[in-house]
Amino acid sequence: MQGDIIAVGPETLVREAAQAKVDGYRLVTLSCVELDAETVDILYHFDKDLTLKHLRLTVPKGTPVPSISAVHWAAFLAENEIQDLFGLHFTGLAVDYEGTLYLEDEVRRTPFCRYSIRQSDKNTPAPDARQEMGEN
Amino acid sequence: MFKMTPNVLRNLISKKATRRYPRQVRPPYESVRGELRNDSTQCNLCGACALKCPSQCITVDKTAGTWTCDPFACVYCGVCVDTCPAQSLTQKREYRPPAVERQTIFMQGEPRKKTKTPEAVESG
Amino acid sequence: MLKNLIQKSRIKSPWLLHYDCSSCNGCDIEVLACLTPVYDIERFGIINVGNPKHADILLVTGTVNQRNKKVLVNLFDQMPHPKAVIAIGSCALSGGIFREAYNVVGGVDKVIPVDVYVPGCPAKPEAIIDGVVLGLEKLKTASLPARL
Amino acid sequence: MMTNTLTSTLVLLPFLAAGCCYVLRSNRVRSLVVLVTGFLLIISAVGLIPLTPFTLSAGNLLGVRVHDLVMVADFLLLFLILYFGFKHRSLVVKILSLLQILLVAYLEFFLIKEVPATGTIYCDSLALIMVLIVSVVGSIICFQAIPYMRNHEAHLRLDKSRQHRFFLVMILFLGAMNGLVLSNDLLFFYFFFEVTTLCSFLLIAHDHTATAIQNAVRALWMNSLGGAAFIVGLTGLYYQSGHLDLQLIIINASPGARVFLLSLALLCLAAFTKSAQFPFQSWLLGAMVAPTPVSALLHSSTMVKVGVYLVLRLAPAIHGTFLSQCVAIFGAFTFLAAAALAVGQSNGKKVLAYSTISNLGLIFACAGLNTPQSVTAGILLIVFHAFIKALLFLCVGTIEQHIASRDIEDMRGVYATMPLTALITVMGVIMMIMPPFGVLLSKWMAMEAAARSFYLILIITLGSALTVMYWARWAGTLMSDPFAGRFKPERQPLLTWGALGALSAGAAVLSLAAPWIYTRMIAPAMSGTYLLPYRASGGILENAAGVFAVLPLSVVAAVGFILSIWAVKRAAGARIVAPYLSGIQVTEPGMFKGPMNRLVKAEAKNYYLSSIFGEHKLTAWVNLGAGVLLILMLGGTL
Amino acid sequence: MFKTVIPFGPQHPVLPEPIHLKLTVEDERITEAIPSLGFVHRGLERLADLRDFHQMIQVVERVCGICSMIHAVCYCQGIEELMAVEVPPRAKFLRVIWSELHRIHSHLLWLGLFADSFGFESLFMQFWRIREKIMDINEATTGNRVIISVNVVGGVRRDLSHAQIKWVLSELQMIEQDIKRLENTMLSDYTIKKRTVGKGLLTAPQASELGAVGPTLRGSGVAQDIRQTGYAAYGELDFEPVVETDGDCYARCKVRFRETLASIDLILQAIANLPAGETRQKVKGRPEGETVTRVEQPRGELLYYIKANGNKNLERLRIRTPTFANIPALLTMLPGMWLSDVPVIVLSIDPCISCTER
Amino acid sequence: MILTTVYVLTGFVIGPLLGGLISGLDRILTARLQSRIGPPILQPFYDAAKLLGKEKTVVNVWQAFCAFGYLAATSMAVVLFFLRSDLLLILFIQAVGAVFLVVGALASTSPFSQVGAHRELLQILSYEPLLVLVVVGIYLETGSFKIGSVLTHPEPLLLKLPFLFVVLGYALTIKLRKSPFDLSTSHHAHQELVKGLLTDYSGPYLALTEIGHWYEIMLLLGLCALFWATHWVGMTILIVVTYFMEVLIDNVSARMNWRWMLGYVWAMGLTLSLVNLIWLYTA
């Protein structure tokens, strides 16, 4: 993968992101990857003069993640997307769509979590997305 | 102001760009990826096309000897044509005409035996 | 006489409403391309009106998803009779390559009745013209209002 | 004898009835008194029609010369105003009323040697028209005030009714107005002029709130300024001509004399204050705090009409002078400026107020333009404006009592809850801006008359375009409701319906009858001083330059109206669909599903263009402009 | 001041695609714009669970029909990186040629739609007329007008014959002439300037801070173009990013207009330097590992994050499209502008909502 | 009396037929300027007939009233024109139609319709004074507002009122809903207000507004014709050239916003009118 990968924790994330801004980096985007049933990776991609730098934050699904939208306002869209698709919760979002950025009520929550569904959504026990789609 | 004037006046006097479509049909280009056809005489029902189709619109039933394609789900990518080992799949140069009902392209072949007079049947 | 005139006019003046459900833009730009000089569907009196209340024909491109299905129904309801729905492109016909994605409901006919299916990915402008012509049949045969 | 009786009914009966209203504290009796007085006024005014023109002399009343009575009353009145000046600590009022007292005393005791024996009362067609307006429109407003004030006081939860005072002043006002327009002796005129000042002060202050009193005091000082200008002008006139007979002054007008012209200019200034022209508009705007019938009365038939009446009266006297041109420009300027300010308003009553100022400006412009067409236009405009403005105020008052707001935005879709009132309001608006109705007829005359003067026509066309804007917007707003055919029948007191019906029908019928009004009433008034501007035949007004087919157009309009109503009836069977909201409307009316899946109301508010036409942007400039024009006018006469 | 709340979209004639903007306007000045997305969201990143990594090419091409080719290039590059496949040079050049054809047709389409956004219908027609020629080239050389589907992992499926190259060259010449004929109109007409100059201002620091990409960024004076990294064959071609400094709609328009001409130049260079040889490298095995690849779409930087674990299905496919990055910038441009500027400003970022929502 | 009836019928029947044909020609010419073929010349009639045969849907029944009102007023204006009536009166009646259209649009709560209505009001605000000033100019030159007298004027008005003809051109462009002034609604719904003013009119009611618009076209071209009333050849050439210019301007300019319109039209229009009027006063 191009660029350095710096591992960060929830407590250092915002600081690192702010530092990146000070260094003249442009926030490219956030990518979220589900690692297993409990944890996800969030990659923060930054770019400066066509070189990339990534912050890797590994967090358990249940814990809220600090939003960097106070530093990089543009992150709110990506963070909302992750909120929709992975069911994570970001604290301090600049504009919070509360999980309705893409999804309607008819769709199961957190469609990108293939290992489990979020406990807080147990009132509507949706079938696992895989079964819904039909195993290939 | 009005910098566009020479252009529109040129349009007014020159030949119009319009192709009068239904009356004047331009012959399709050589390599156009149009409607999918399965040559029943060549198909050996191997199922490679069904496996490779990104849109999953082809179903091959080896035991019943049927080859079915949902033309409404086909994305005309031509991957099946590229992969067909028997080269029985071809794409016509024309697109499938609009229809008022759902259709499927259906082909009944002899199970396990090829070159036996399978018929290509279309049913709505 | 008047009845004939109106029926003739219906064929001569189909106004389009194009709604992009969740198309990849491929079919959308082909719909737009129909309006442009090379295809010039205004030859048939077709205008893209962009307003359901003025439209006779609803062109739908793209798969229906959970959010836009309501929009589609709303638009369909706001169109005055007689009206025809033309689904354009694989996605609108069946969901196409996306039909198994989690947010996709499927083809347009899962939500509103479809009169003409125009296959293609994307459908060519010529095919769209053919589709509209096919859709006119429905407008022609539709009954007239009781009182004009 | 007949004229005597009718005239005294018109002038004195209201004073009497007003007293009754004050003394008899029973609601029923008061209502009865108001009704009876109103009807008597209407009957007497109509009775005067065949008798005009006539001249009367005010002889003696109870053995005292009426002149002396008026003089005494004058002093009483001025001291009363002075008292109010002290009470409300208004220095300007104190100064102005003292000045007036001194000047009246000087005039009465030192200047006037002999009291004219004849011609104190003169009634020509112009005066008759005014009498009719005052009596008919004024009475109708008083009728409507009966249910209105009942509601109003119920709403305010007063311990003690103040209606007796209210009706005292209302009725008194009518008498004063009748007296004013019939007076030929300018001292009489001045007395009634001051009565209207006081009455308006009392009416504006009626609710006794802090704002009401503040606004009332402002009205008082501004009108006192007018009064002062008037009395100064009178003194000048007396110096010049040795008498205060209005008709004689007009006939013997000697435009060359500077003092004379200055005096007339001062009278015009007094008229401008009364008619709330810029920069004196604030008193009329402030008068909105009063109950709506007061506004209706002030704006339509009384008070503000004093000014335009006076200037139209004086028009022949200033014909061809610089003063006349100034009045025209000043009026046209006010017409434009007030229309622009009206565009910037969302408060319904303020829109009406600016519209009044604007229309009065147009009348002044007509008077100043001083051609036969323009004066005809001015007189017609007085008539139609009185009816329609009274109607609109009563409508707004009725709506206001229902929705507890006078803001146009809150009247959005009021058609659904008050269909009939909303319809009548829309009709009023239509009569303000559309042919073949009277207001537009007069505007047509005014424009054709002004066409020869390019600056005037420029200002007037801009003004009338702005006028169309604010009226059309309002009419549409009232109808702006997504549900068709689902309204409930509306309930209002009989007197309210009666008043609204009478005024709207009256305005419509008068519009239809405009050619006859012209031949029967206006042409005689013009005949002395002007050439007759129009031929009226077959309901068509025509001259060499233009033609307005009132009757044929009205017929066409009526047919069109009936057809359109028929269309509405048939459309009632149409499918009702939601308004276009980009496809995301939900079943709740006017709502759409917005971001975050929340329901949002698709609101559309009118444009008030406050960045261009807002009061805060325009008022200072307009006042400045008007002030400059006024100084120019006064200075130009020197 | 009274507020008017306007639901702008999802069905709206000036928006070719469904996005909803809740606009709050006073008189006609916008005070607030809140977007609502999800009308085009299909969830195609998750289709990676159902389609193998070859089939995903066809899926990612349909992320966006306008720049389908470039999506496929980006995806293939990523997979090729993971599988360490060396793409034949001819394929690299062909990828450039078709990518640039896509850029031209996308920019022409945009120029037309942009003209339409300020009500210049005949200009719209003019640009789209020129665009049809590009569509013809696409159709003749690849078999489809829009979604040309030529990429495979390890190269391209189609080749250009000598005759085709000759024809393409002559067509391009005509296209260039046609476009240049409109330069005077697009870049110096009074009414167009009136509608675009000073609208939707975005300064260079703002643009970087909001993560804007592509012509939106370059229109604000930041010379950043992913083609500078030299992916595919761009490293071997002479290329300068097009930059304007004003940061308004007019600057973005100029950037795109000049980029169109620059793209024609790139194609001519690529054709001139087109190496002979194979166009497709056979691939075996399955991808493993994670990578980030970027290419320059007509709308700006496109980023693919691919994570694979040796299965035929990818573990995670993340697509960050340029419009997704430009939307925050758009939202800051709108307030303070007039309602009539909304279409102009919205179109000035060349929104591709189907990209944004996938 | 017979002559009057003939005039009335001509105005009432021929008016819209001619207006429809002109708008058909307009569409063909527009298409040709865009290198297209364009619709058949009778297309506007097909459109109207089709709309008349559509289902009636309304947001509010007042739309029906207003659509009829608009049609009635515009047809009345044309009839009066053929009756050689008072120009100023005709303008007022024409304004009635415009106001009805606005009120009908305001009757719907859709913000698009409402904003469109306000823009239409601003358009009225822009062109109404200009039209009146043009008529005033005609009056100053011919001494009468009556078309009958204008027609007998011995020399073409264009020679004396060239600037006012340009001013009339502004009003014409706004009234015909051509770029750069197609703000409130445009013939092609590619604008931020969808179809603006006409968004919520549909079916037969939309047809009525179409027909009303044909009358308006006739009325305005009639006004243009007055500028060369001395000979029919001159009149025809003037109208053809004017209309061609309108279509051309529509095709070579972008749509502007209402602020620009108000400022530009008033500044240019009023200045040009004043210059021409002062010239007439001093001449």
Side-chain angles (χ1 to χ4, degrees), chain C residues 34-45:
Chain C
C34 287
L35 306 170
T36 58
V38 176
Y39 300 98
D40 187 28
I41 48 172
E42 207 190 348
R43 283 179 294 143
F44 311 107

Side-chain angles (χ1 to χ4, degrees), chain D residues 448 452 481-482 545 547 580, chain F residues 55 59-60 86 110 145-146 281:
Chain D
E448 297 211 339
R452 290 241 167 247
D481 191 283
V547 54
Y580 175 77
Chain F
E55 180 198 22
V59 174
N60 180 333
D86 189 297
S110 162
F145 285 101
K146 285 190 275 193
Y281 276 112

Side-chain angles (χ1 to χ4, degrees), chain F residues 99-159:
Chain F
V99 168
F100 265 121
L101 208 53
V102 169
V103 173
L106 285 170
S108 155
T109 49
S110 162
F112 298 103
S113 177
Q114 298 255 337
V115 174
H118 281 104
R119 287 198 186 167
E120 177 74 9
L121 280 176
L122 289 161
Q123 289 190 3
I124 295 175
L125 188 59
S126 306
Y127 71 73
E128 203 59 33
L130 300 189
L131 283 178
V132 173
L133 290 175
V134 167
V135 166
V136 166
I138 294 178
Y139 163 73
L140 287 177
E141 178 58 22
T142 64
S144 176
F145 285 101
K146 285 190 275 193
I147 296 174
S149 319
V150 175
L151 289 177
T152 54
H153 196 67
E155 61 173 347
L157 287 173
L158 188 62
L159 303 179

Side-chain angles (χ1 to χ4, degrees), chain F residues 72-95:
Chain F
T74 46
S75 60
M76 188 64 208
V78 171
V79 166
L80 281 177
F81 193 88
F82 277 86
L83 282 175
R84 304 175 177 202
S85 186
D86 189 297
L87 277 169
L88 207 50
L89 179 61
I90 292 172
L91 288 190
F92 287 149
I93 290 178
Q94 171 274 126

Side-chain angles (χ1 to χ4, degrees), chain F residues 146-210:
Chain F
K146 285 190 275 193
I147 296 174
S149 319
V150 175
L151 289 177
T152 54
H153 196 67
E155 61 173 347
L157 287 173
L158 188 62
L159 303 179
K160 282 288 177 61
L161 309 170
F163 295 135
L164 279 174
F165 191 74
V166 177
V167 172
L168 179 62
Y170 285 124
L172 192 62
T173 318
I174 301 177
K175 221 37 210 170
L176 292 178
R177 311 200 184 292
K178 301 275 184 206
S179 280
F181 302 122
D182 49 347
L183 302 168
S184 67
T185 176
S186 58
H187 290 300
H188 306 279
H190 295 289
Q191 67 150 311
E192 65 277 7
L193 295 183
V194 189
K195 191 77 171 159
L197 187 69
L198 300 176
T199 304
D200 277 332
Y201 286 101
S202 74
Y205 308 115
L206 186 66
L208 295 183
T209 64
E210 273 305 291

Side-chain angles (χ1 to χ4, degrees), chain C residues 15-37:
Chain C
W15 288 0
L16 302 184
L17 169 69
H18 166 225
Y19 183 62
D20 168 359
C21 269
S22 38
S23 157
C24 70
N25 285 340
C27 299
D28 301 336
I29 54 173
E30 295 294 60
V31 169
L32 269 179
C34 287
L35 306 170
T36 58

